[in-house]
Amino acid sequence: MNTATTLRIRRPLALAILVTLSGCGGGGGGGGGGGSSDGTPTLAQRIAAAQSVAQTSADCQQIRPFYWEIGDASGKLVSGSFAGPLLTIDADTVLPIASASKWIYGSYVVQSQAGVLSSQDVKFLNFRSGYTNFSVCGSTPADMTVSECLEREGRDGGTNGEYVPENDGFFVYSGGHMQKHASMNPTLADLDAAGLATEMRRVLGTDIAMSYSGPQLAGGVETSASDYALFLRKILGGTLSYERAALGTHPVCTDPDTCPQEAKFTPSPTGEQWHYSIGHWVEDDPKVGDGAFSSPGAFGFYPWIDASKSWYGVVARVSLVSDSDVSVAVDSVRCGREIRAAWLKPNTQ
C-alpha cells in the first residue's frame, strides 16, 4: 500500500511550502553486529535500544508524526516512521527544514574556502556580527536575490540588512548574520532561490537534492531526511573534509543567563548551556549535554552528528501550528537525543 498526497501549508510571514506526504511509513533496518571483549555494544544492541526509545519514549510519542534514522559514513543503519492522524513522514518526504539550513550554509563557506576562515567570517558564522534585524524575505518574486532580500522590512523596522551596533560582539541568534555574509560574496549576492540551491549543491554535492523557498541562507532550504543524511554522511566520511575538521570550532557561549557579557539571545533549551560553532550548535551543557553537533529547525527538523564524529542522525517532522517555534525545535531535540543516547549506550537503557 503506497499513496501519495501533496499538501500546501501556509503560515504567517512565510512562503507557501510544498510538502510531499507518503502513506504507510516503513520500519527500521540494519543488520547483525559482532560484539567486543571490551564491552562495545553490538550493532544489534544499538538498533534494538534506539528502536525501543523511538517507539516508547514520551518525548518521542508527543512529536508524531515523524521519521528518524541513524547511520554512519557508509550509510543508514536503522530507521523508523511513526504516523500521525493526518499524515506520515518518511525518508523521502520533502520538508521545510528552517534553521537546519544554517549547517548547510556554514559547510558551504568552510568547503568553498578550503577550511580557511577570516576573523570576519567567524564573527558572521557564529552570530556575533551585529546584523540581527532580519525577519524573512517575505512573499518574494521568484527572481529575488540574496542581496535584495536584505532590503525587505526587518524585525523591528528598518530593513533585514540593518546593522544593530549594540549587538556587535554578542551572540544573537538571527538569520541576518548569514544573509549579510552571503550578500558580501560576489558568487552569491545576485543569486535567486534556484541559483542558490545550484551553488550549494555544486560545493556540497550535486547528488544532494535540495531547493530554497526563497533566497534565505539561514532558513530557506527544503529537502528530505534522506538527502540531509547524505550531507551528514559526506561530513563523516571525509568527502566534506574541511567541514568535518571545522565541527565544534570557534565555539561561543550562547546563554545570556550564564554569560551576559557574551550573549543576548538564544533559542536553545531553557536552562541548558550550549555553544555555537560555525553554523551549527554544540550540545555541551555540563549536566545533560553529550557534545553532539546539531542544527534544529523551527518546524521540528533535527539533524545531528555525535561528538566522536562516528554517527549521524535525523529526526524529520513538520509542525506549523505551535505558538512557539522554539518549543517545536526543542521537542524534536529531546526525542532525538534520547534516541541518540540509546544508540551510543544501549546497555544503560
Side-chain angles (χ1 to χ4, degrees), residues 335-347:
C335 170
R337 69 183 178 190
E338 285 185 32
I339 297 173
R340 179 170 68 245
W343 178 269
L344 295 175
K345 297 181 178 180
N347 295 329

Side-chain angles (χ1 to χ4, degrees), residues 164-190:
V164 184
E166 59 267 31
N167 289 340
D168 193 334
F170 290 86
F171 176 85
V172 180
Y173 192 77
S174 170
H177 306 282
M178 288 183 166
Q179 198 74 24
K180 180 65 177 181
H181 186 264
S183 75
M184 298 186 295
N185 183 336
T187 302
L188 302 178
D190 295 327

Side-chain angles (χ1 to χ4, degrees), residues 103 232 235-236 247 291-294 303-307 309 311-313:
W103 204 347
L232 298 177
I235 297 173
L236 291 182
L247 291 176
F293 314 108
S294 67
W304 57 264
I305 286 175
D306 82 302
K309 304 180 186 179
W311 317 103
Y312 77 85

